[in-house]
Amino acid sequence: MLDAATLKNDFPILQQTVHDDVPLVYLDSAASAQKPQSVIDALSRIDSTVYANVHRGAHWLSDTSTALYEESREAIAAFIKAQKSHEVIFTTGTTGAINTVARSWGDANISAGDEILLTRLEHHSNIIPWQQLSERTGATIRWCDITEDGQLDLDDFESLLSERTKIVACTMASNVLGTYTPAKRITQLAHDAGAVVVLDAAQAVPHKSVDVTDLDADFIAFSAHKMLGPSGVGILYGKETLLEAMPPFLGGGSMIDVVSEEGFTTASLPAKFEAGTPAITPVLAFPSCIDYLRQVGMENIQQHEHALASYAHEQLEALGTINILGPHPDAKAGVVSFTVDNLHPHDLTHALDNQGVAIRAGHHCAMPLHRRLGISASARASFYVYNTREDVDKLIQAIAKAIELFS
Ligand code: PLP
C-alpha cells in the first residue's frame, strides 16, 4: 500500500496555506496533477545544465539534450510497453495527439458515408477533432450511450459498429464519472469490424498500468501534466504501420528529409510528426515523472485511489443531499463528481475554496455527457498519490459547512 501522508511531503506546493492561512487540500488532479520536488529539480537541472535545441546543433549541449530527448522517448515507450520507441510521438498534449490522428489519419482515410463512433463519456478533446473531421469529409458521427450507472453501454456499442465504422474514439477513463471503459474489448470489437481505435488515455496512464501491446491499441493519447509532470507535452502512441502510412500533419523544421523549391520529402518516424522546436525541457523531464510513479507503483496508485473514491462515496452518501454521478467505485478511477440539492456547483466550489479545498465545478469539458445526465454542471473531486483520507474528511466537512451556509 502507498503512504500518501509521507508522499505528500514530496510536493512543495501542497505544504502551503491559501487565503491568508487556510491549509490547502488539493482535489483537482484530474485537471492537472502537482509536481514532486524530484520533477521540479529535474526541470531546473535541465535548464541549468543541458538545455539546447534538439536534433539541430553540432555542439556538446545540443548533442546531450538530443540524446536525453531520445532517452525520454525510450522511457515512455517502456512505461506503456510499446514495441518500438519511434511509435511514441511527442505532442503538445492529449489534445494535440488526438488532433494529429484526426487530421492525418482521418483526412487520408475518411470520406462521406463513413462513420466515426464516439461515446457519450468523451472529453471535448475527443469530440471536436472528430466533428471537424466530419465537417471536412461528410462522415457521420455515431454516439455510443452509457448505462444508467454511467458505464459504457457495450450492447449499444456493438449495435452501432458496422462495416461503415472507420474509426472508434473512446476514453479509457472518464474525467467526469471516473468510469473505466473496457478498452481491450472495445479495441477487439472495433478491429473485428475493420475500424481503427483511438484511446484517450489522459485519465488512465497516470493512474493505472497501461500496456499498449496487450491492448492491441492503434492510437493512444495522454499528457504529462496529469502524471506529475509539466504542461506543454503529451504523447501520441501509434502503431508503426499506421504512423508510417500517415501523411505528416504539421509542416516545418525537423519533419523533412529534403526540401526544394518544388516540394519536400518527409523524414521517417518519429520526426515526421514532430515539426518545429518541441517542448524541450518538459520532454527531458518526463522520465523523472515516470521514475516517481514507478517507485510508488502503478498498482499501489490504482488501489489507493480506489480506496479514497470508496471512502468519499460513503461519506458523501452519509451527508444525505448529495447525488453522486457515475458508477460504484469498483468500476472507476479516483474521480468523484456530484451535485448537491439546491446548491449550484459553482457556489459550492467557491465556498469550498474559501475553506482551502480545491475542487472543480462546471461541465469539465464534457457537455454532451452532462446533457445525457440531465444536468448542466457538476462538482468534481479527484484524487492522486498525495491525497489522504484526511483530505476526504476535510472535503466532507467543507461541503457540510457550505450546505449549512446556503440553507
Ligand atoms: N481527455 C481527457 C479525458 C481529459 O481529462 C483531458 C483533460 O482534462 C483531455 C483529454 C485533454 O488533455 P490536455 O488538455 O492535456 O490536452
Side-chain angles (χ1 to χ4, degrees):
M1 251 328 226
L2 155 176
D3 180 0
T6 303
L7 293 182
K8 197 180 251 191
N9 294 326
D10 295 338
F11 293 78
I13 204 168
L14 302 178
Q15 311 308 319
Q16 66 186 316
T17 55
V18 293
H19 296 306
D20 290 334
D21 218 18
V22 190
L24 172 66
V25 177
Y26 188 75
L27 299 175
D28 197 18
S29 297
S32 249
Q34 298 299 348
K35 301 178 195 65
Q37 189 63 52
S38 57
V39 173
I40 297 169
D41 288 346
L43 286 161
S44 149
R45 198 170 51 244
I46 288 156
D47 279 340
S48 36
T49 58
V50 294
Y51 176 84
N53 212 326
V54 292
H55 289 298
R56 282 158 173 79
H59 51 79
W60 184 87
L61 268 186
S62 179
D63 289 347
T64 307
S65 65
T66 300
L68 291 171
Y69 189 83
E70 292 308 318
E71 274 175 32
S72 174
R73 195 189 306 281
E74 275 164 31
I76 293 156
F79 188 61
I80 59 170
K81 311 219 169 42
Q83 301 282 318
K84 293 167 183 151
S85 64
H86 61 240
E87 294 178 317
V88 168
I89 310 290
F90 289 114
T91 65
T92 53
T94 306
T95 306
I98 296 172
N99 274 277
T100 299
V101 181
R103 284 278 175 178
S104 174
W105 193 92
D107 282 5
N109 292 283
I110 300 284
S111 47
D114 289 342
E115 290 184 0
I116 301 164
L117 181 47
L118 307 184
T119 89
R120 291 204 196 279
L121 289 171
E122 302 314 312
H123 185 282
H124 295 164
S125 289
N126 205 22
I127 296 176
I128 318 295
W130 308 115
Q131 290 178 329
Q132 290 172 316
L133 176 63
S134 139
E135 280 170 13
R136 289 196 300 279
T137 61
T140 305
I141 292 183
R142 310 284 299 237
W143 291 90
C144 174
D145 206 359
I146 53 173
T147 59
E148 281 317 303
D149 70 342
Q151 306 213 47
L152 193 79
D153 186 338
L154 256 189
D155 292 335
D156 193 39
F157 183 80
E158 286 193 62
S159 75
L160 288 165
L161 271 177
S162 74
E163 72 281 355
R164 287 185 301 281
T165 317
K166 289 291 177 306
I167 195 143
V168 171
C170 177
T171 190
M172 287 184 75
S174 158
N175 64 310
V176 179
L177 305 181
T179 314
Y180 280 128
T181 59
K184 192 167 172 178
R185 182 80 187 119
I186 285 166
T187 304
Q188 263 170 6
L189 291 167
H191 285 171
D192 291 348
V196 157
V197 182
V198 181
L199 293 173
D200 175 349
Q203 301 291 347
V205 168
H207 304 286
K208 65 192 289 215
S209 183
V210 171
D211 180 334
V212 297
T213 303
D214 180 58
L215 284 169
D216 195 20
D218 296 316
F219 298 106
I220 283 195
F222 55 98
S223 305
H225 71 95
K226 295 188 196 288
M227 48 194 293
L228 312 178
S231 55
V233 63
I235 299 299
L236 169 64
Y237 160 84
K239 268 187 191 154
E240 183 185 43
T241 45
L242 291 166
L243 292 173
E244 293 275 19
M246 283 159 55
F249 164 40
L250 294 174
S254 287
M255 50 69 70
I256 48 86
D257 190 10
V258 178
V259 184
S260 68
E261 287 78 357
E262 287 73 40
F264 69 97
T265 55
T266 47
S268 52
L269 292 175
K272 178 166 120 177
F273 291 105
E274 293 180 4
T277 299
I280 300 166
T281 307
V283 169
L284 267 56
F286 210 143
S288 63
C289 316
I290 291 177
D291 286 347
Y292 192 94
L293 292 172
R294 271 233 174 87
Q295 261 167 35
V296 178
M298 297 312 291
E299 292 290 321
N300 290 335
I301 293 174
Q302 198 180 344
Q303 272 172 27
H304 174 68
E305 290 178 7
H306 174 248
L308 286 182
S310 302
Y311 183 57
H313 264 239
E314 267 168 36
Q315 297 298 310
L316 284 168
E317 269 161 12
L319 281 177
T321 51
I322 311 276
N323 316 299
I324 302 176
L325 309 173
H328 185 271
D330 286 349
K332 67 189 216 173
V335 174
V336 180
S337 291
F338 54 93
T339 56
V340 180
D341 292 348
N342 307 316
L343 184 48
H344 193 279
H346 284 116
D347 292 332
L348 173 72
T349 307
H350 188 61
L352 263 56
D353 179 45
N354 285 336
Q355 300 175 68
V357 179
I359 66 165
R360 183 163 169 192
H363 52 64
H364 318 302
C365 297
M367 286 171 103
L369 175 58
H370 278 79
R371 197 166 306 119
R372 169 65 180 83
L373 297 169
I375 51 178
S376 60
S378 60
R380 179 186 75 185
S382 52
F383 311 114
Y384 210 7
V385 290
Y386 35 69
N387 291 119
T388 59
R389 274 169 79 94
E390 289 68 42
D391 290 343
V392 177
D393 291 337
K394 286 184 185 158
L395 166 73
I396 301 298
Q397 283 156 18
I399 296 173
K401 205 164 157 188
I403 291 172
E404 205 184 299
L405 194 76
F406 282 93
S407 66

